[in-house]
Amino acid sequence: MLVYDGDSDSIQKEKEELPSYLPSPTIDSADAREKYPEAVLVTEEDNVVHEAKTRVGKLLHRVTKQLAHWGLEVNGISPIPEDQRTDKRLYQFFFVWFSANANILTLSAGTVGPAYYSLGIRDSFYVILVVDLITCAFPAFFATFGPKLGTRSMVQSRFSWGYYGAIIPSLLNVLSMQGYLVVNSIIGGQVLAEVSGHLSATVGIVIIALITLIITFCGSRVLHWYETLIWIPNVVAFIVMLAVGGKNLINAPVVDPEGPAPAAMFMSFGASLSATVVAWATLTPDHGVYHDKDASPWRVFIYAYLGFFLSSLPAHMLGAAFAATAVYVPEWETGLGDGNDVGGLVAAILSPTGGFGKFMLVLLSLTAPSACAPTMYTVCTSFMTIHRKFARVPRFLVAVVSTAILIPIAIVGATRFYSTFVDILALIGYWLAPYCAIVMTEHFLFRRGSYSLTAYDVPNAWDTPRHPNLPSGFAAMCALAASVAIIVPCIQQVWYTGPIAEHGTGDLGMLLGFVVSVPVYALARAAELWYVRRRAVRKEGTGAGVEAGRGPSDMAQRARGAGDLFRLW
């Protein structure tokens, strides 16, 4: 619970007049609306009392109340209570992530193989198939945390990284997802600019960013509605592109005429592609916190996995095929330009259809927010997790700031798309590897895959740094340090090539970072649990806990908490 200066008696009195959790406006509940007609959901009920003491606070409070009255989501990062996790529309896990990936950006990720790493169609397809089969499982697994725990992704990370240690992935996630927004906006802006000579990529970027802001501003219910429908024009556009450009794809050589590509190119392309898929792992929990808490984790996993795989695989392959063929089709090569204008390539492919092709370009560009909106939503929740003071900033205000930062960076980055794209993917992939390894090892090895109150105790532990169900962060820091030690020598980027990568291995940083993090975290976490349990029991027995200012009951609780996790392990 947050602590504020001021008249504590008056604050406490006002707090008592508010329920602990107010009903969510994202869930249609006649009883809830009748019981709390003026309900305002913020990060903590204290915030309404505190913020209303300043002019800005009063204004934000009025805006928040009005947004809630309109039915928009105004929740912060507080875990969603079980009685609000009732949405049984699990099919949304499929459509949200199918729409988020069946778009122009995913197609662009596939073009990186031929355009940036000089791979042929067949080689690119092999890499895409293997990578998508494996990596789609990561965001699908993380999606189960939403309905089962009701926590946002970076709040859930506190249960493996520790309360203060989780600041690191929260900060990195904000930076990475903001970079991902830049790439999305560049693609959408470039495509929109091809519709008319009166539009530039800069104007297109601004339009895409503003549409993303509107969807994110409205919250979870509007976002889910949008994602349930927006895949339709994207799929239609892809089918039209394949129908129009298919004859050229047939004429293109399947095997690179210059001979097999070096193994390093396979690994580097696979690493870049993996980053685009695994990056969704830090988003998926955020978009399921209102869904049925009793739903089978396997059902949630399957819906999400199919959503990712059935959209990513065709889009990646289509992008690789078009980019590899562009060399043999002068119009396509001209559209692609110096390799930095994916929008020009798409426009060239659709040009034989005339006005209908222009219409398809508009649809493709205006559906770019299908990937941007979930990303910006998570930027907001991750920013609010960095510090308790940040948690008091309304999510819609963070979205406005994110948009203001996004637009100028995207305008500058549009002139060098592929290098910007690959650099951002590298940043995302290198830290995501240890992040996923740490969270998954904690969940499966130490909490035995359980989402129970004994394993997590989310309502009491999520914002309590010294709660026994939260680790200290020591194990996560050890795993992160070990992963960095192996990732740096394995990096292969334009700006740096490590000593291991110099021997022709390709970029193994993400893969080895994950592999190393698992045993290091497991050993360090086991040692931490053993030490905490022994220390708590010893202090309880000698009365040292009382001398240190902690009662025996507190020490006993810490001993029991560590003991429960130790026994689970």
Side-chain angles (χ1 to χ4, degrees):
M1 193 63 66
L2 305 180
V3 179
Y4 305 105
D5 297 329
D7 188 348
S8 59
D9 293 336
S10 62
I11 292 177
Q12 183 63 30
K13 182 178 179 181
E14 291 184 74
K15 283 174 56 179
E16 292 173 353
E17 296 174 357
L18 293 167
S20 299
Y21 291 100
L22 299 174
S24 172
T26 61
I27 299 178
D28 293 326
S29 172
D31 294 338
R33 291 185 182 278
E34 182 178 352
K35 187 174 181 182
Y36 306 111
E38 299 296 328
V40 178
L41 286 173
V42 291
T43 57
E44 295 284 348
E45 65 271 18
D46 307 66
N47 294 348
V48 178
V49 178
H50 175 73
E51 293 173 353
K53 293 182 177 182
T54 65
R55 290 182 180 180
V56 175
K58 290 178 180 179
L59 175 61
L60 291 176
H61 180 43
R62 287 196 297 269
V63 172
T64 303
K65 287 184 65 175
Q66 187 60 51
L67 293 177
H69 179 72
W70 290 339
L72 304 183
E73 184 193 22
V74 290
N75 275 9
I77 57 171
S78 296
I80 306 303
E82 291 187 357
D83 60 358
Q84 293 184 35
R85 281 180 268 147
T86 57
D87 194 337
K88 297 187 180 297
R89 295 173 294 180
L90 298 184
Y91 63 83
Q92 289 183 337
F93 284 99
F94 172 83
F95 284 111
V96 167
W97 305 118
F98 183 85
S99 295
N101 287 275
N103 57 36
I104 191 68
L105 178 72
T106 308
L107 183 145
S108 302
T111 67
V112 172
Y116 195 79
Y117 293 109
S118 303
L119 297 179
I121 293 179
R122 187 185 66 178
D123 293 341
S124 297
F125 278 16
Y126 284 155
V127 175
I128 288 169
L129 178 61
V130 173
V131 168
D132 284 351
L133 274 171
I134 297 173
T135 57
C136 286
F138 287 89
F141 160 70
F142 277 80
T144 63
F145 286 124
K148 301 306 290 185
L149 298 181
T151 57
R152 313 292 182 176
S153 60
M154 292 298 108
V155 172
Q156 193 279 331
S157 70
R158 292 175 176 176
F159 290 86
S160 50
W161 286 74
Y163 184 89
Y164 297 107
I167 294 174
I168 295 176
S170 297
L171 181 60
L172 290 173
N173 203 41
V174 170
L175 297 175
S176 300
M177 294 301 101
Q178 192 69 23
Y180 203 64
L181 281 171
V182 168
V183 173
N184 274 280
S185 300
I186 291 173
I187 290 292
Q190 287 179 345
V191 175
L192 192 58
E194 297 295 330
V195 176
S196 171
H198 300 292
L199 285 175
S200 65
T202 297
V203 175
I205 288 170
V206 173
I207 293 174
I208 299 304
L210 293 179
I211 295 175
T212 300
L213 173 62
I214 292 171
I215 298 171
T216 308
F217 191 96
C218 293
S220 181
R221 184 167 64 175
V222 172
L223 192 150
H224 277 83
W225 172 82
Y226 172 82
E227 298 287 355
T228 302
L229 300 174
I230 204 62
W231 61 271
I232 298 174
N234 283 336
V235 171
V236 171
F238 284 171
I239 292 174
V240 172
M241 290 172 63
L242 187 59
V244 173
K247 59 181 180 180
N248 293 312
L249 297 180
I250 294 175
N251 295 329
V254 175
V255 181
D256 192 337
E258 297 182 3
M265 293 299 181
F266 284 87
M267 295 303 303
S268 296
F269 176 47
S272 297
L273 202 63
S274 297
T276 66
V277 180
V278 178
W280 294 103
T282 60
L283 281 76
T284 51
D286 288 16
H287 302 283
V289 293
Y290 297 106
H291 285 78
D292 186 10
K293 64 179 177 60
D294 297 320
S296 166
W298 276 107
R299 287 189 63 197
V300 174
F301 174 85
I302 291 172
Y303 272 122
Y305 182 86
L306 291 177
F308 280 106
F309 184 73
L310 295 181
S311 56
S312 297
L313 184 69
H316 283 153
M317 288 186 168
L318 200 61
F322 285 143
T325 307
V327 179
Y328 305 96
V329 182
E331 294 81 5
W332 293 11
E333 189 173 22
T334 302
L336 188 60
D338 59 356
N340 288 308
D341 192 353
V342 177
L345 173 62
V346 174
I349 295 171
L350 292 173
S351 60
T353 61
F356 182 71
K358 295 285 187 180
F359 176 68
M360 286 290 98
L361 284 176
V362 173
L363 291 181
L364 280 172
S365 61
L366 295 182
T367 55
S370 62
C372 292
T375 305
M376 184 176 287
Y377 188 99
T378 295
V379 167
C380 298
T381 59
S382 298
F383 176 81
M384 297 165 72
T385 312
I386 294 174
H387 194 277
R388 285 177 169 179
K389 289 185 178 180
F390 295 166
R392 301 211 308 254
V393 181
R395 179 181 50 78
F396 58 83
L397 190 59
V398 180
V400 172
V401 175
S402 173
T403 305
I405 296 172
L406 154 69
I407 292 175
I409 296 177
I411 291 173
V412 174
T415 58
R416 47 192 300 270
F417 171 72
Y418 274 116
S419 56
T420 302
F421 191 24
V422 173
D423 288 348
I424 288 175
L425 292 182
L427 171 65
I428 295 174
Y430 293 141
W431 79 265
L432 271 179
Y435 171 81
C436 291
I438 289 168
V439 174
M440 296 176 73
T441 303
E442 174 70 27
H443 179 71
F444 287 114
L445 187 60
F446 295 96
R447 303 185 195 257
R448 291 292 182 179
S450 172
Y451 302 92
S452 66
L453 191 66
T454 301
Y456 281 96
D457 193 13
V458 170
N460 296 312
W462 78 277
D463 201 32
T464 307
R466 293 185 58 80
H467 192 280
N469 274 42
L470 291 185
S472 66
F474 165 76
M477 295 303 102
C478 289
L480 180 62
S483 66
V484 170
I486 191 63
I487 287 173
V488 171
C490 296
I491 290 176
Q492 185 175 28
Q493 297 294 330
V494 174
W495 40 270
Y496 175 74
T497 300
I500 295 179
E502 286 179 346
H503 288 80
T505 62
D507 196 331
L508 297 175
M510 188 175 179
L511 175 62
L512 293 183
F514 182 91
V515 171
V516 169
S517 297
V518 172
V520 173
Y521 181 81
L523 293 173
R525 183 74 169 111
E528 178 188 0
L529 284 173
W530 177 84
Y531 174 76
V532 169
R533 184 170 181 241
R534 289 291 299 271
R535 181 170 177 268
V537 171
R538 186 168 60 251
K539 285 190 175 182
E540 173 67 15
T542 61
V546 178
E547 296 176 3
R550 298 187 296 269
S553 59
D554 179 61
M555 297 305 302
Q557 181 188 19
R558 293 184 62 79
R560 284 195 300 271
D564 288 340
L565 288 179
F566 196 80
R567 283 191 293 273
L568 279 174
W569 171 65

